[in-house]
Amino acid sequence: MSTPLLEVRDLCVSFATRDGVVRAVDGLSFSVDAGEALGIVGESGSGKTVSSLSILRLFGLFDDVTLSGEILFEGRDLLRISEAELSRIRGGKIGMVFQDPLTSLNPVMPVGEQVAESIRFHTGATRPQARKRAIELLDRVGIPDAAKRCDELPHSFSGGMRQRVMVAIAIACEPKLLIADEPSTALDVTVQAQILLLLDELRRELGIALIMITHDFGVVAATVDRVLVMYAAQPMEYCTIEHLFDRANHPYTEGLLRLVPRLDHRMGGRLRPIEGQPPALTEEISGCPFAPRCGLAEERCHNDRPPLVRLGPHHESACWLATERAARLTTPGRPWETPS
Amino acid sequence: MTAVEKTSPLPVRPRRGRTGGGLGPLLLRRLRDGVITLVLVVAIIFILAHVVGDPALVYAPIDATDEEIERIARNFGLDRPFHERFGSYFADVFTGDFGESMWQQRPALQAVGEALPDTVQLTLVGIVGAAVFGIIGGILAGSRPGSLFDRGSNFLSVTALSVPNFWLGLLLIVVFAVQFGIFPTSGRIGPSSIVLPALTIAIVHGGRIFQLVRSATVEEMSKPYVRVARSKGFPHRRVLWGHVLRNTGLTTATIAGWEYVRLWGGAVFAIEYVFAWPGIGTLTINAAHRQDFFVLQAAVIIAGAFVIVANLIVDLLYRVIDNRIKAS
């Protein structure tokens, strides 16, 4: 078996804040093979964005971060290499698309230049060469009349168009891995689909591995091969996309899937939200973080943290009941169709 | 809802000079405001001068009789009713006649005109120094908030801007002129005379510029596009110079411009007086002491006009550059 392109092992990220230490990511492990697409799913505050920022160490100015674990990319631990080495990887081998396209572009720099500067920095191309390549890229991501529009400033582009520019920036240097942090969340529904389609196309065309961070199972279903479900900074379930919809094991995953509204669902069926709130990440969680909201929770769930149980070659679930539930196969076919 | 959704595939052609309310109307509006302010300045100065004291009394010798004082008052036209005097003074001022200095026996405007270049020179040298301290320091501190340099320079700048400027001036005189004898204590003897007063301006106003530039830089550094620039692999310095400063440059220039205007609004007066710098500040304060009303009025009105015009220029430049950035 070949080594994966990216392998994250036992990643822990905590922030020192005024309210105490926040454990934003707690014991996360996953891997992405070359050309593969992984989805990281979870609600806001579950640690998915922080995990993605950790890969390139792109934390904010005021963040007081403590990182542990390993992030192996092409055999090197990104958490331990120097800032200078990392800067060759950022934008070069790993590209990133961020959540809010409206504020992600420099407002006073022409969009073409924002693509070209990255090319110049990583490949040493001359200004005209980089510009030519930038125009090609803008054209590729679907900016109409790219040669002309590349000299315009971001404010004359719509949200969807700006996100396309962001994608062009991210793939400018033909990265091996693309990290997309909720790339469609801030966009209109129709535009969302276009962006996802574009990412999917580019991934297949250029053979880029993709990490898609989202809270939307629809996005996951459309774009990824494998899924990591996170809750309260911890991994809950890790499985292929087929397993997710057919054999979701973790009660949290199941709860989330029940919340996906379906057009083919019979009328009158009601969505059943998961009761309660996620725990505060400043508190020490001894058991399963989902236990207080889980209908199946037993005493051990509240007291001891469940291990990540291996259910198959591509299926892991952090639940004390994982094996039993897998055997019962509780959710054949359509977990969202709840018995009435 | 953000209103930035423009889905038109056609390039939006910006109309130069008409964005943001239009430059022409803005100029007219500002000129009108400037004139109103100036009229108010003239009125207030005149009223103050005639409420606070009687110029004839000051001009007359100590043992002058009432008759003599009356004669002096008549000479200066002070015996006429208030509104008449105000009216004619007003008319004179707007034709450029600021009256005669009682003390110096020459046109007040001439005295002010003589002092003006010295003040311009001092304020320019001072503000350049302040801008160098404030802008460079503010950018370096703001780009790494919480660093040792940030905390150290922040402390220094807060100290600098909290100290009264005349006190700082005196301190510099004591240290550099009296103790070490490097620079002259006061007056305008040679080129080295400008160092201490300009340094006073540079420190106090540099402290303020530092604070404003620092917070502008910190704010800019936390914007999402900075993270994007970092995700391209650019090192800190390149992110700062290539991206952040492009955005804060205009704000920074405006901050320095406004600080220069503030200087004219009063700060330079005390500093000039402390260093006996022969500028408009010293002239004004001396004129006030001697109740040399015509000089006092001329100096204040001209300094006021300077502030108004400088303010206008800073504002317009900001608009012009801002429009050009948005339009290009």
Side-chain angles (χ1 to χ4, degrees), chain A residues 18-99:
Chain A
R18 241 175 255 156
D19 304 328
V21 175
V22 174
R23 297 180 72 97
V25 179
D26 191 356
L28 190 69
S29 302
F30 62 85
S31 67
V32 184
D33 290 328
E36 189 196 28
L38 171 78
I40 301 183
V41 187
E43 34 194 310
S44 340
S46 60
K48 51 195 197 305
T49 295
V50 173
S51 321
S52 74
L53 293 177
S54 312
I55 297 173
L56 290 177
R57 275 192 258 152
L58 286 174
F59 295 104
L61 274 182
F62 296 100
D63 294 343
D64 188 353
V65 196
T66 314
L67 288 153
S68 70
E70 284 178 334
I71 298 180
L72 299 168
F73 178 75
E74 293 186 326
R76 282 195 294 171
D77 187 352
L78 299 187
L79 291 182
R80 277 161 195 88
I81 62 175
S82 69
E83 190 75 14
E85 278 178 279
L86 190 59
S87 83
R88 306 307 312 174
I89 292 174
R90 284 181 187 152
K93 295 200 161 171
I94 301 181
M96 196 149 176
V97 178
F98 295 88
Q99 207 172 97

Side-chain angles (χ1 to χ4, degrees), chain A residues 191-230:
Chain A
V191 183
Q192 282 185 9
Q194 292 169 8
I195 293 292
L196 294 175
L197 200 66
L198 174 69
L199 286 171
D200 197 47
E201 264 174 37
L202 288 170
R203 175 172 83 82
R204 289 173 203 282
E205 195 178 295
L206 307 170
I208 306 174
L210 176 71
I211 296 180
M212 174 72 78
I213 289 147
T214 180
H215 58 256
D216 185 344
F217 274 113
V219 170
V220 160
T223 49
V224 307
D225 308 318
R226 283 197 287 155
V227 182
L228 174 67
V229 179
M230 285 185 78

Side-chain angles (χ1 to χ4, degrees), chain A residues 167-182:
Chain A
V167 173
I169 292 172
I171 61 164
C173 303
E174 294 170 5
K176 297 262 173 60
L177 173 66
L178 187 61
I179 303 170
D181 182 8
E182 307 228 18

Side-chain angles (χ1 to χ4, degrees), chain B residues 3-27:
Chain B
V4 215
E5 290 286 326
K6 274 189 241 156
T7 33
S8 157
L10 294 168
V12 181
R13 213 175 291 279
R15 288 178 296 173
R16 224 163 258 272
R18 289 203 51 87
T19 30
L23 213 55
L26 175 81
L27 180 66

